Amino acid sequence: MSSATQRSFKMVAQEFTVDLDKPLVFQVGHLGEAYEEWVHQPIVSREGPRFFENEFVESLTRTVWWAIPSIWLPVVCYCVLKSVRMGHALPEIALMVVSGIFIWTLLEYTLHRFLFHIKTKSYWGNTLHYLLHGCHHKHPMDGLRLVFPPAATAILLVPFWNMVLLFASPSITPALFGGGLLGYVMYDCTHYYLHHGHPGNDVPKNLKKYHMNHHFRVQDKGFGITSSLWDRVFGTLPPSKMATKM
């Protein structure tokens, strides 16, 4: 990489320079209020940045897309079968699973809109946001950081299981939870496909345009990934003319 190109991959803000040739996570916090602008200026490259100096910690930030269905679909099946063994008929199981998927779509939208796009300016706020979602907007084509690391997912599943248990009976909880987990698997695989797939028919083509619109044009709208349902419900649908230009 030429020195001119390297300089173009740097941004000076508040007398601090982010150097993309060095691990980024503990740099971005120093941007302060300029972080919001910096992180939404994407670098379209399939080569992802380095996050940490430590090799082991760095490896935990990289996940191949197929690890998600490989790890979590067996858990989905286990949960669904658990409710079957507790005496629920197949039509009831199907309703629970579909309900879980539906609940996930709302959770997907809510997390993306209110957590992933939270505005930060403190050192640790910027750092945590970059790890959670900012890195994806800065390097949207980084194929090894498009899906959520399984270790982090496993930790988050514990409170989600307990949350479902608060609202559902012990026999319904496994299938409902399994449906939500299936929704998550669909979401992560869809998200990867929207960035790296080459859709051949209108439905995935339009969904890809919709999501790329969120990344490159209107980043404060279009928070749905698997569908635009909740964007329509809550009024965060981007202007259609902008999507059609993509």
Side-chain angles (χ1 to χ4, degrees):
M1 183 182 293
S2 68
S3 59
T5 303
Q6 288 178 349
R7 284 195 297 272
S8 70
F9 280 175
K10 298 177 182 179
M11 181 175 182
V12 178
Q14 298 181 343
E15 299 182 353
F16 180 79
T17 301
V18 173
D19 188 345
L20 297 185
D21 293 326
K22 296 178 181 179
L24 292 186
V25 168
F26 295 122
Q27 291 191 68
V28 299
H30 294 295
L31 286 168
E33 293 181 356
Y35 168 77
E36 179 73 15
E37 179 184 358
W38 177 85
V39 82
H40 288 109
Q41 295 176 356
I43 297 173
V44 184
S45 171
R46 289 180 180 270
E47 182 180 352
R50 187 174 183 88
F51 275 15
F52 296 99
E53 193 71 45
N54 182 274
E55 290 291 345
F56 175 71
V57 177
E58 175 70 9
S59 69
L60 294 178
T61 70
R62 299 177 182 269
T63 308
V64 292
W65 75 267
W66 47 262
I68 303 306
S70 299
I71 292 171
W72 299 119
L73 286 183
V75 178
V76 171
C77 292
Y78 171 80
C79 290
V80 172
L81 287 174
K82 191 170 183 180
S83 285
V84 171
R85 289 170 182 161
M86 290 181 177
H88 289 283
L90 290 182
E92 294 175 320
I93 294 294
L95 179 61
M96 295 172 200
V97 171
V98 170
S99 297
I101 295 172
F102 181 76
I103 292 169
W104 164 259
T105 64
L106 178 57
L107 186 60
E108 166 196 314
Y109 173 88
T110 303
L111 290 173
H112 193 186
R113 180 179 178 182
F114 296 107
L115 180 60
F116 293 178
H117 280 267
I118 190 173
K119 296 185 185 300
T120 61
K121 60 183 179 180
S122 68
Y123 176 84
W124 287 111
N126 292 346
T127 301
L128 291 174
H129 179 268
Y130 183 79
L131 275 170
L132 182 66
H133 193 63
C135 60
H136 177 54
H137 272 264
K138 189 65 181 177
H139 293 84
M141 300 307 292
D142 183 352
L144 292 176
R145 295 195 178 98
L146 266 171
V147 296
F148 208 60
T153 303
I155 293 171
L156 293 174
L157 287 181
V158 175
F160 280 123
W161 170 273
N162 290 325
M163 184 175 67
V164 175
L165 197 56
L166 286 175
F167 299 100
S169 69
S171 65
I172 291 176
T173 294
L176 190 62
F177 177 84
L181 186 57
L182 178 59
Y184 158 71
V185 172
M186 295 165 62
Y187 151 81
D188 243 355
C189 292
T190 299
H191 191 202
Y192 185 90
Y193 181 75
L194 294 181
H195 281 266
H196 291 284
H198 303 284
N201 57 59
D202 287 344
V203 173
K205 272 185 179 180
N206 290 336
L207 197 57
K208 183 180 177 78
K209 289 178 182 178
Y210 181 74
H211 188 59
M212 293 303 104
N213 191 36
H214 168 73
H215 271 280
F216 297 105
R217 293 184 182 275
V218 191
Q219 297 180 347
D220 61 347
K221 294 185 184 297
F223 299 107
I225 302 295
T226 52
S227 81
S228 60
L229 170 65
W230 298 110
D231 282 306
R232 297 175 188 277
V233 171
F234 294 113
T236 53
L237 197 68
S240 57
K241 64 178 182 180
M242 302 189 84
T244 57
K245 290 181 181 179
M246 293 299 295

